[in-house]
Amino acid sequence: VCSSDLMPIGITLNCHSVREAKCTIENDKIIYPDKIPDFINIEESNENKKEVFTQNIDEICSLKEGEEILLTGEIFVARDAAHKKLLEFKKEGKQLPFEIKNSIIFYAGPCPANGKEIIGPIGPTTAGRMDKYSPDLYNSGLIATIGKGNRSEEVKECIKRNKEVYFTVQGGIASLLKTCIKKSEIIAFPELGAEAIYKLSVEKLPLTTEISANL
């Protein structure tokens, strides 16, 4: 029950970037502390970004924090359940489904492909959930990860110490990001469904270098 002096409001809880947003409501105005960027189409946003290929390890390691790129090449998709299995395999001395050294892992759980689609909509999941697994993999030579949101101080230090990288990719555009996927196959743990490990061939996947040894 609201008195005449109170007005109800609705709040939508979304993913990481929205949960981090702050505003002040004054009467009929919503005031944001920071300037809201204008939306631009994907072609315009990619116009001045350089294309980086996954096999060019030296170039990936030389990227500076804040640098935006278009990634092309082979990457692997794995999230919570797959990471747990990967570390169990390592601990038990079993052969891993792919070579960790110099590989890139995308934290995602793609939707099933519909009809003749290569893959269904695919977007980043919150990277912090993989923090407990990440130091082991980065120390084993994993060159980069792709996700959204912040990383723990331990993971940040590990990435910088090994001169490796953490990329972020825009959330909320999974249907658009799937157009960057040119090949897709499940290579391990199919019983995990959307959390299986996929090998993807990507073309011009738009990323931001979030954490790097280079400032």
Side-chain angles (χ1 to χ4, degrees):
V1 178
C2 297
S3 72
S4 58
D5 296 328
L6 299 176
M7 295 183 65
I9 62 170
I11 299 175
T12 299
L13 298 180
N14 206 320
C15 276
H16 179 86
S17 58
V18 177
R19 294 199 303 267
E20 294 287 308
K22 296 178 177 65
C23 71
T24 301
I25 300 175
E26 293 184 0
N27 298 321
D28 61 345
K29 294 181 180 179
I30 300 177
I31 303 170
Y32 294 95
D34 301 309
K35 183 180 183 297
I36 305 299
D38 294 330
F39 289 104
I40 57 177
N41 62 49
I42 191 69
E43 291 79 9
E44 186 180 349
S45 69
N46 287 345
E47 201 170 80
N48 297 315
K49 296 177 184 176
K50 69 177 179 180
E51 187 171 6
V52 174
F53 295 87
T54 57
Q55 65 267 32
N56 194 337
I57 305 304
D58 290 340
E59 185 173 19
I60 292 173
C61 291
S62 69
L63 293 170
K64 295 180 179 180
E65 290 187 357
E67 192 168 358
E68 297 183 338
I69 67 162
L70 301 173
L71 186 69
T72 294
E74 183 178 278
I75 64 174
F76 298 91
V77 171
R79 49 184 290 176
D80 312 49
H83 273 73
K84 182 179 179 182
K85 280 183 169 287
L86 284 174
L87 265 67
E88 287 174 351
F89 272 36
K90 284 183 90 249
K91 185 176 181 180
E92 296 167 6
K94 296 180 180 178
Q95 184 175 355
L96 298 181
F98 66 95
E99 177 60 54
I100 297 295
K101 186 175 175 61
N102 293 337
S103 289
I104 298 175
I105 292 179
F106 183 11
Y107 301 144
C111 296
N114 181 15
K116 295 182 179 180
E117 286 182 328
I118 295 171
I119 198 168
I122 180 170
T125 195
T126 302
R129 294 206 310 275
M130 267 54 71
D131 280 355
K132 59 185 176 183
Y133 309 112
S134 294
D136 191 303
L137 296 179
Y138 273 116
N139 288 332
S140 298
L142 183 70
I143 199 65
T145 57
I146 303 169
K148 66 179 179 183
N150 302 324
R151 308 306 302 264
S152 69
E153 287 303 317
E154 180 187 6
V155 172
K156 289 179 184 177
E157 291 172 5
C158 180
I159 291 170
K160 290 177 179 289
R161 182 176 65 251
N162 288 302
K163 297 182 178 179
E164 294 157 339
V165 179
Y166 166 54
F167 293 112
T168 52
V169 61
Q170 176 65 46
I173 57 169
S175 292
L176 181 59
L177 291 175
K178 78 174 183 179
T179 65
C180 298
I181 313 301
K182 305 307 174 184
K183 291 183 182 178
S184 169
E185 64 173 311
I186 294 176
I187 62 168
F189 315 138
E191 68 277 10
L192 297 180
E195 294 207 36
I197 293 180
Y198 289 70
K199 180 168 71 172
L200 304 181
S201 292
V202 301
E203 185 177 298
K204 297 183 178 180
L205 183 68
L207 305 175
T208 299
T209 309
E210 193 73 23
I211 302 173
S212 166
N214 310 301
L215 301 177

